[in-house]
Amino acid sequence: MLSRAASSLFWMARYLERAESHARLLDVSLTMALIDVPEDREEQLSVPLLVTGTVEQFKELYGDITPQHLIDFMLLDNRHPASVFNIIQSARDNALHVRGNLSADVWDSINLSWLEMKELRETGVTESNASQIFDWTRARSHIFRGATYGTLLRSDAFHFMRLGTFIERADNTARVLDIRHKMAIASQNEHATRSFFEWTALLHSLAAFEAYQQIYGHNILPINVAELLILQLDVPRSLHACLHEIVALLEQVESGDSRKARRMANSLYANIHYGDREYIAERGLHPYLTDFLARIHAIAGQIQKDYMGWQR
């Protein structure tokens, strides 16, 4: 596969996964802000900005952090490169470059998402209907993945799209877990009820609340949350599950003479696959996740160098 086509497929899938992640994160943060005490609401609203590293950009454009400002910035603002509007536009642009590698169902799912997103931006999104837009964003991402899995030939095009999805998902899980975990621990000694809601928000942000209840029951413990989202292979957004897919996909794409990305991915996968909760607790969750993020970013960069011939 030509390197440019591989890059477009990889980033198209990353962008669509990112749109869903942003919608989940924003939905939970706005809900938490409503149930939290007034003096702590700004902290809840700042979570999407902290996770995406856009605090300074937001303040330059909007100043005060309010629910409506956050909705406009994260969903609709074309001045913000990581707004859902710009992300879906970028996904559609990349899809257009590789239209011949996509099935009609996959192309239609992306193109329709872009057309509907433009309409949403024209009509606007308010606090009263924001939850419907979050549901719409998640649904469009699900339709894309379903069309991809159900209609595409299992060729390199399919594999590069799946690689983009799991690289992005691993990055998001680590970021959300790191930020929400720090907030939950900070509130643990002050108010047990608030700490419980922090852990609940973390699990809902990563679509893992029901999975946690099935495995651990209703008592939410920090080490159980970390184990679920890092080590549990059968939890779709866990770091273990993402690395398992990344390693398998890298074995299937045509790699030529370069194997460095595969070596790096296998090394990180072994670290998680043979790790345990005691090791994470001893090392500390924040240092563990900081190291993971650095390594997953290095793997993503190496994939682009090995298979696409350039760095984004």
Side-chain angles (χ1 to χ4, degrees):
M1 168 169 284
L2 293 175
S3 61
R4 184 68 188 181
S7 179
S8 291
L9 291 161
F10 178 81
W11 277 98
M12 178 190 74
R14 284 199 71 165
Y15 286 135
L16 291 168
E17 180 70 19
R18 190 175 299 177
E20 179 183 354
S21 297
H22 284 5
R24 290 183 180 279
L25 185 60
L26 190 53
D27 192 9
V28 172
S29 296
L30 290 172
T31 301
M32 285 293 294
L34 289 174
I35 65 177
D36 213 339
V37 293
E39 57 267 26
D40 292 325
R41 283 175 185 164
E42 184 170 322
E43 182 182 29
Q44 290 297 333
L45 294 173
S46 69
V47 170
L49 305 176
L50 292 170
V51 171
T52 57
T54 55
V55 174
E56 294 304 319
Q57 185 179 7
F58 176 89
K59 289 183 177 180
E60 289 177 5
L61 293 174
Y62 291 91
D64 296 336
I65 301 179
T66 67
Q68 188 59 56
H69 285 168
L70 190 63
I71 290 168
D72 290 341
F73 179 74
M74 293 293 295
L75 285 182
L76 305 175
D77 198 329
N78 62 356
R79 299 169 297 176
H80 174 209
S83 69
V84 173
F85 175 83
N86 278 333
I87 290 171
I88 292 179
Q89 182 180 39
S90 296
R92 198 262 186 185
D93 289 345
N94 278 281
L96 191 59
H97 293 155
V98 289
R99 177 68 183 85
N101 296 101
L102 306 178
S103 67
D105 286 351
V106 172
W107 165 253
D108 288 344
S109 73
I110 298 170
N111 195 45
L112 183 59
S113 295
W114 168 235
L115 295 174
E116 292 181 355
M117 189 70 230
K118 287 198 296 183
E119 293 180 4
L120 285 174
R121 188 168 183 272
E122 291 177 2
T123 58
V125 179
T126 64
E127 290 183 63
S128 61
N129 70 347
S131 62
Q132 299 173 23
I133 308 307
F134 302 143
D135 290 342
W136 172 85
T137 306
R138 289 195 293 267
R140 297 310 308 176
S141 179
H142 296 166
I143 291 169
F144 162 73
R145 281 200 302 272
T148 298
Y149 197 81
T151 67
L152 279 188
L153 180 70
R154 271 32 176 189
S155 63
D156 279 354
F158 176 82
H159 297 143
F160 279 116
M161 289 169 65
R162 298 293 284 169
L163 271 171
T165 294
F166 289 109
I167 287 285
E168 184 66 31
R169 186 174 294 179
D171 177 86
N172 180 70
T173 293
R175 287 176 179 274
V176 174
L177 177 55
D178 191 28
I179 296 296
R180 280 286 182 193
H181 175 265
K182 285 188 285 188
M183 293 178 65
I185 292 298
S187 65
Q188 192 167 349
N189 297 326
E190 301 173 6
H191 201 293
T193 301
R194 186 181 179 210
S195 180
F196 172 82
F197 282 123
E198 290 286 359
W199 294 119
T200 302
L202 167 59
L203 292 168
H204 278 297
S205 295
L206 297 171
F209 183 73
E210 292 82 3
Y212 182 95
Q213 290 185 315
Q214 290 177 32
I215 297 173
Y216 300 102
H218 297 284
N219 187 24
I220 298 182
L221 299 177
I223 190 61
N224 288 347
V225 174
E227 182 179 54
L228 180 87
L229 295 173
I230 295 174
L231 301 177
Q232 287 286 355
L233 181 59
D234 51 356
V235 174
R237 295 180 185 276
S238 75
L239 303 186
H240 194 172
C242 292
L243 261 296
H244 179 79
E245 295 290 342
I246 290 167
V247 166
L249 288 162
L250 286 173
E251 292 295 328
Q252 296 181 70
V253 295
E254 297 178 5
S255 58
D257 297 328
S258 181
R259 299 180 181 178
K260 190 171 182 180
R262 281 194 272 179
R263 289 198 301 270
M264 293 167 67
N266 273 283
S267 175
L268 183 55
Y269 176 66
N271 180 272
I272 293 177
H273 184 69
Y274 296 106
D276 55 37
R277 57 195 284 162
E278 287 74 23
Y279 171 74
I280 295 172
E282 289 172 6
R283 186 172 183 184
L285 186 60
H286 178 63
Y288 183 94
L289 292 172
T290 300
D291 177 69
F292 177 88
L293 283 166
R295 294 176 72 176
I296 200 70
H297 291 170
I299 291 168
Q302 195 63 44
I303 288 172
Q304 291 177 183
K305 290 174 67 177
D306 285 357
Y307 302 106
M308 303 167 198
W310 65 296
Q311 285 188 294
R312 201 177 185 93

